[in-house]
Amino acid sequence: MSSRGPAQIADLHRFDCIIDARSPSEYALDHIPGAINCPSLDDEERRIVGTIYKQQGAFEARRVGGAMVAANLARHLRERFADMPATWRPLVYCWRGGLRSGSMVNWWRLVGWDAQQLAGGYKRWRQHVIAQIDAIAPQLDLRVVCGPTGSAKTRVLQALAAQGEQVLDLEGLACHKGSLLGALPGVEQPSQKAFETQLAVQLERLDLGRPVYVEAESRKIGRIALPTALIERMRAAVCLEIEASAAARLDYLLEDYAYLGDEPEQLASRFEMLRELHSRETIARWQDWARTRALRPLFDELSRLHYDPAYGRSQAAHFRRWAERRTVAADTLDAAGIAQVAQALRALG
């Protein structure tokens, strides 16, 4: 590829480096996978230029902004790209493929590098992500893994992947376990756009001729909304249910959510969200258990009084093939038991 015209999404793999010339906050919200952030303007500079544009007009904004861009590009040349060979071929993008990336491309070309600009910038990438999800999701041959809270569904997906099956781990992409207590300690959920970018990347890697295992989910995982095309495909898919005893599930929950005992007051506060569903006495009891780190009775009652009663109704309402689901019994949910469940699910086809 030698043309210096704007590059397309399909050309991404042909470059040595992908440079995101947007501000750090724009990059943090979402970016093309593998791109590095080398801002033409940082967040404060972008704010200043925007204010000047509104108050004094385009010329003054470009005069002030141009000096800032020049200083930033010079710094990038001295520091980040000081050792790049003459044959280095970077691709640069900004929001719409405009001045920020165009300025960088022009400078890099003056140096002698074969730099190119991404046509349409990040906006074009975003359109590509949405189009890929909408195109691929309806073609997936899904196997929806169901089971009440504590059935180790995520661990079963991991075991299926280890056994060579295709898996779509939506909770892993969303950095959330999908329940009231599903927030991961010290881990922020990605932005909606970043989640969808990673989802599109995962979908593009799948072999559409083979089954894909996915955990049963509602429309939202924490604050992340699942794309409609994927939700609709899941709702119409084959359901595979894990049947484990209440005792096995409780043991699993105590292991998998043990970290909740590290922040007892924070755990207690989460039950405020359930006041419309349970009595004041029940909420108070759960909060007392949370504050005293009594996780066994807490998880036991949460399962019996909150999660389990709604499970069957929810599955029947959301999954059109729930009545014809196939089940796999799980005697234990330790590592060996989870591996056996995965093998049994594979045998169901």
Side-chain angles (χ1 to χ4, degrees):
M1 180 177 175
S2 59
S3 169
R4 287 198 168 191
Q8 305 299 320
I9 296 296
D11 301 321
L12 293 178
H13 67 284
R14 300 182 181 182
F15 292 89
D16 299 321
C17 180
I18 302 174
I19 301 173
D20 187 323
R22 299 175 302 157
S23 67
S25 63
E26 292 173 289
Y27 176 85
L29 188 65
D30 185 35
H31 54 269
I32 295 175
I36 62 173
N37 188 213
C38 298
S40 293
L41 295 170
D42 65 25
D43 292 309
E44 178 62 15
E45 291 167 341
R46 186 165 172 253
R47 185 195 66 79
I48 292 171
V49 171
T51 300
I52 293 174
Y53 181 87
K54 292 178 182 178
Q55 296 178 352
Q56 302 180 47
F59 174 78
E60 188 65 14
R62 289 185 179 182
R63 185 187 68 80
V64 174
M68 294 176 176
V69 169
N72 289 328
L73 295 182
R75 186 180 72 257
H76 296 323
L77 280 172
R78 287 194 309 269
E79 298 173 1
R80 194 147 199 176
F81 304 123
D83 299 326
M84 294 302 168
T87 56
W88 184 56
R89 299 183 64 251
L91 175 69
V92 186
Y93 71 91
C94 58
W95 170 242
R96 283 190 295 257
L99 289 175
R100 287 186 289 176
S101 57
S103 299
M104 185 175 290
V105 165
N106 287 335
W107 273 56
W108 284 192
R109 287 179 178 177
L110 287 172
V111 170
W113 292 315
D114 184 13
Q116 294 187 49
Q117 190 176 25
L118 177 64
Y122 171 79
K123 187 175 181 180
R124 180 70 55 81
W125 168 257
R126 179 69 182 150
Q127 293 167 347
H128 167 78
V129 165
I130 295 171
Q132 286 297 89
I133 293 173
D134 287 345
I136 298 174
Q139 302 180 60
L140 297 175
D141 183 14
L142 294 179
R143 303 289 187 272
V144 179
V145 179
C146 307
T149 297
S151 298
K153 295 182 290 294
T154 296
R155 297 274 184 89
V156 168
L157 285 185
Q158 294 168 353
L160 284 164
Q163 294 174 18
E165 297 295 337
Q166 294 190 120
V167 165
L168 189 57
D169 183 2
L170 297 174
E171 292 184 2
L173 294 178
C175 299
H176 196 282
K177 292 183 178 180
S179 65
L180 169 71
L181 305 179
L184 300 176
V187 179
E188 289 290 327
Q189 286 195 268
S191 70
Q192 182 70 36
K193 291 180 179 179
F195 169 81
E196 290 171 1
T197 284
Q198 292 303 317
L199 175 60
V201 170
Q202 292 293 315
L203 293 180
E204 288 173 345
R205 294 173 178 169
L206 295 174
D207 178 353
L208 298 180
R210 295 175 56 211
V212 178
Y213 293 85
V214 65
E215 184 173 340
E217 304 288 355
S218 61
R219 287 191 173 272
K220 296 191 74 174
I221 303 176
R223 59 177 173 78
I224 296 296
L226 297 183
T228 299
L230 180 58
I231 279 288
E232 289 303 312
R233 191 59 174 175
M234 291 171 65
R235 298 296 186 247
V238 170
C239 293
L240 307 176
E241 186 181 30
I242 302 169
E243 288 188 340
S245 68
R249 289 164 47 213
L250 180 56
D251 287 342
Y252 175 79
L253 287 171
L254 288 168
E255 174 193 348
D256 200 46
Y257 285 86
Y259 56 83
L260 291 176
D262 297 336
E263 299 286 346
E265 196 58 44
Q266 183 178 8
L267 174 58
S269 69
R270 296 192 193 183
F271 298 118
E272 293 294 329
M273 300 172 61
L274 301 180
R275 287 200 176 275
E276 294 185 1
L277 301 175
H278 300 280
S279 69
R280 286 184 299 174
E281 293 78 9
T282 298
I283 296 297
R285 184 168 62 253
W286 291 349
Q287 290 180 325
D288 287 343
W289 279 335
R291 292 188 177 105
T292 59
R293 296 182 171 87
L295 297 187
R296 179 172 288 275
L298 174 59
F299 290 172
D300 177 48
E301 273 207 9
L302 273 173
S303 295
R304 290 190 293 104
L305 302 185
H306 180 68
Y307 290 112
D308 289 359
Y311 168 70
R313 295 193 303 272
S314 173
Q315 304 300 88
H318 289 147
F319 297 102
R320 294 193 285 276
R321 302 180 67 177
W322 177 246
E324 59 188 82
R325 66 191 181 280
R326 289 170 283 178
T327 62
V328 167
D331 296 327
T332 63
L333 292 173
D334 57 11
I338 288 170
Q340 291 175 358
V341 169
Q343 291 173 348
L345 290 176
R346 296 175 65 198
L348 293 177

